[in-house]
Amino acid sequence: MSHHRVTAVLLTAMVIGLAGCSGGADSSEEAPGAAEPADSPVLTTDPAGTVVPLDPDAEGMVFDPVTGLLAVAVRNPTRLVLTDRAGVPVREIPLPGHARHLQLAAPGGPLLVPAEDSNTLVEVALPGGETVATPVGEYPHDATRLAGGQVLVADELGGTLSVVTDGEVTGQFDSQTQPGGLAGVGGTAGVVDVADFTLTTYDVPGGELVDVVDAGAGPTHLVADARGRFLVADTRGDAVRTFTAEPLELSSSFPLPGTPYGLAFDATAEVLWVTLTATNEVVGLSTTGDELTEVARFPTVRQPNTVAVDPGSGRVFVGSRATGELQLIDP
């Protein structure tokens, strides 16, 4: 692809995106910055299901339906803990830096692990744990694999998106201010900019920015559902917002008070699980209709920043950043 053409497209879109989210505010007003999870209160209700001890600062989880392994990122030291479906650790894998997001490249692996403070993407084979590390941009926060095999990495503090192909950076987009959550629909990637409060789509194989829209008062994370839509946690705006991918536009908004943060999608049941960090809860939202509907709600461990789901059994896993505990819920 032509580097000059891509850069021109990206810069133009960046100007449009910045203009679109300025809202005519007084330039002297300080921007609110990236939304963060709430500082969760002390528990007043026992967590649902079973709670087992894990490790400090558990944040970032994904369940692999092929191997039956749950991967959890923990700290002190930074590593991945692989557990079975019951939360019993079976393997530990050292990491070069801490991670807050984990995704599967495909069922069966590898795991995509953005090791933030090491500026590397680590791909971890399952079940054995063999690793391949690729240097990317500054402070990689999330990574997702697209239909063509390319992996897109959100370099949060670098304002870039790194395209990784077979363990090497083969391209880069520079049209983000502070990229956060990522998800893919086919060859199209959705990217939340947590500083500009936007959702942007990219044709990654074509090397082009496609569209950019407002994504709420403080969006953080997103997933794609079984209908090819992007579901965004508007953490500051207390809502989950649903966007069609083509064209990129808001199709519905579901109010969800409680500072929604962690997301996991059960593709079998077509249920989105959302953690509420201000109320220590996890909520299940059905995605089968044009608008989301609440189908489940459970009390959780304290500071539930992260959630994963087993699409085979429907078991929901919630990790506590505060206590290092792992919660297992069978809805």
Side-chain angles (χ1 to χ4, degrees), residues 88 95 143 191 267 277 317 330:
V88 177
L95 293 176
V191 183
T277 53
F317 305 89
D330 294 311

Side-chain angles (χ1 to χ4, degrees), residues 32-218:
E36 297 291 347
D39 184 6
S40 299
V42 174
L43 297 186
T44 56
T45 306
D46 289 337
T50 305
V51 177
V52 297
L54 194 64
D55 271 300
D57 298 321
E59 184 169 14
M61 290 197 305
V62 68
F63 183 85
D64 175 44
V66 173
T67 59
L69 292 173
L70 176 73
V72 188
V74 297
R75 307 189 187 192
N76 299 317
T78 55
R79 63 204 189 283
L80 279 184
V81 177
L82 302 182
T83 82
D84 63 15
R85 284 184 172 88
V88 177
V90 296
R91 179 167 285 111
E92 292 194 355
I93 298 142
L95 293 176
H98 57 67
R100 285 183 292 165
H101 278 262
L102 303 179
Q103 292 196 36
L104 283 168
L111 292 166
L112 303 176
V113 185
E116 293 181 323
D117 53 339
S118 68
N119 300 335
T120 55
L121 170 70
V122 183
E123 297 182 59
V124 180
L126 294 176
E130 300 83 4
T131 61
V132 175
T134 304
V136 289
E138 186 180 357
Y139 215 73
H141 179 71
D142 201 359
T144 196
R145 184 181 183 271
L146 302 165
Q150 295 166 307
V151 174
L152 191 67
V153 182
D155 307 316
E156 183 179 6
L157 299 187
T160 56
L161 302 168
S162 297
V163 181
V164 176
T165 311
D166 297 328
E168 292 186 8
V169 175
T170 54
Q172 191 178 75
F173 298 94
D174 58 3
S175 48
Q176 295 279 304
T177 300
Q178 190 178 352
L182 296 177
V185 174
T188 300
V191 183
V192 166
D193 192 313
V194 299
D196 290 342
F197 315 144
T198 55
L199 174 63
T200 305
T201 49
Y202 293 86
D203 171 3
V204 176
E208 292 185 339
L209 186 154
V210 180
D211 209 350
V212 56
V213 295
D214 176 72

